[in-house]
Amino acid sequence: IAGITQAPTSQILAAGRRMTLRCTQDMRHNAMYWYRQDLGLGLRLIHYSNTAGTTGKGEVPDGYSVSRANTDDFPLTLASAVPSQTSVYFCASSAMTTGELFFGEGSRLTVL
Amino acid sequence: QQQVKQSPQSLIVQKGGISIINCAYENTAFDYFPWYQQFPGKGPALLIAIRPDVSEKKEGRFTISFNKSAKQFSLHIMDSQPGDSATYFCAARGARAGSYQLTFGKGTKLSVIP
């Protein structure tokens, strides 16, 4: 049972570089989400998608973009990484009308 | 603005004791209140959840108490064990159509000492 698969597990990136974090789910959930987790700040929503072909902005969307071409994949792109984007990124999915989010194991990103 | 406030930030409890974590929310349109448990190096996982039409929900050693008028809810862990040591997040979900995202509290790091 895979659930949510995120890649890479960790990455060190030079500032100004472009980076895409990958997320794939095999539960056929309608909704998918990207959160970032920072010490003392908890989990903050970056972007979400309620269904394939639609996306929405969360609490901290600036500097990030997402796409949802199909049900299973929800990549997060940093067009030009900055040090403040150093964080642990979690992808999650849920059946649209339930509150239970299933999280991936996270991608630890360091921007130097 | 933070819509879900969680306290304390960290908590140390003796084995066998009761761990209590509190959350308060501001948006009366929330309709679902889950708690998530996160172990180091792992993603959060749903622990227990409650809807505002009940005042308490119990699952094993874990209980949610919900006070709708005060807009507060809390997690109680009875007979706390070292294996319960983790970070706990409360969350709330909007009730409006198209607003199914969860808003999380900042988390509580629980350490249960033998």
Side-chain angles (χ1 to χ4, degrees):
Chain A
I1 300 174
I4 299 274
T5 301
Q6 291 185 235
T9 303
S10 65
Q11 182 77 43
I12 298 173
L13 188 68
R17 297 298 295 268
R18 180 184 180 89
M19 178 71 193
T20 295
L21 303 180
R22 300 183 298 279
C23 176
T24 300
Q25 56 118 346
D26 63 1
M27 296 174 283
R28 307 302 293 174
H29 285 161
N30 302 96
M32 296 188 75
Y33 315 84
W34 275 104
Y35 284 88
R36 60 177 289 174
Q37 183 174 19
D38 302 286
L39 193 64
L41 297 178
L43 293 155
R44 293 181 293 168
L45 182 65
I46 304 171
H47 284 287
Y48 66 92
S49 169
N50 284 339
T51 190
T54 69
T55 63
K57 293 182 179 180
E59 181 185 355
V60 289
D62 293 344
Y64 305 96
S65 64
V66 291
S67 62
R68 187 88 183 277
N70 57 61
T71 297
D72 299 340
D73 301 299
F74 191 44
L76 176 73
T77 297
L78 290 67
S80 179
V82 295
S84 62
Q85 292 177 312
T86 293
S87 186
V88 180
Y89 292 86
F90 286 99
C91 179
S93 72
S94 71
M96 195 151 109
T97 55
T98 72
E100 182 171 6
L101 267 62
F102 293 83
F103 284 85
E105 299 275 89
S107 294
R108 181 176 294 275
L109 182 66
T110 302
V111 183
L112 301 175
Chain B
Q1 85 242 25
Q2 185 190 4
Q3 296 188 57
V4 179
K5 295 183 179 179
Q6 184 172 347
S7 63
Q9 204 168 5
S10 63
L11 181 62
I12 299 174
V13 173
Q14 203 87 30
K15 178 183 175 182
I18 302 174
S19 304
I20 301 174
I21 304 171
N22 300 299
C23 282
Y25 62 96
E26 300 168 359
N27 186 344
T28 56
F30 289 141
D31 72 341
Y32 176 77
F33 301 88
W35 285 87
Y36 281 76
Q37 181 187 54
Q38 184 183 29
F39 294 105
K42 300 293 186 182
L46 179 66
L47 181 65
I48 186 172
I50 196 168
R51 296 190 183 276
D53 52 349
V54 297
S55 60
E56 184 175 284
K57 183 173 182 180
K58 184 176 181 179
E59 290 184 3
R61 296 184 293 109
F62 301 90
T63 300
I64 300 178
S65 297
F66 187 84
N67 186 329
K68 188 174 182 178
S69 61
K71 291 187 285 185
Q72 295 174 346
F73 59 110
S74 59
L75 175 69
H76 295 236
I77 305 174
M78 311 299 288
D79 187 25
S80 299
Q81 299 296 312
D84 296 331
S85 298
T87 299
Y88 293 82
F89 294 96
C90 63
R93 186 189 70 180
R96 292 181 290 111
S99 177
Y100 300 109
Q101 301 82 36
L102 290 180
T103 298
F104 285 87
K106 293 187 176 183
T108 296
K109 184 174 181 180
L110 172 65
S111 299
V112 181
I113 54 177

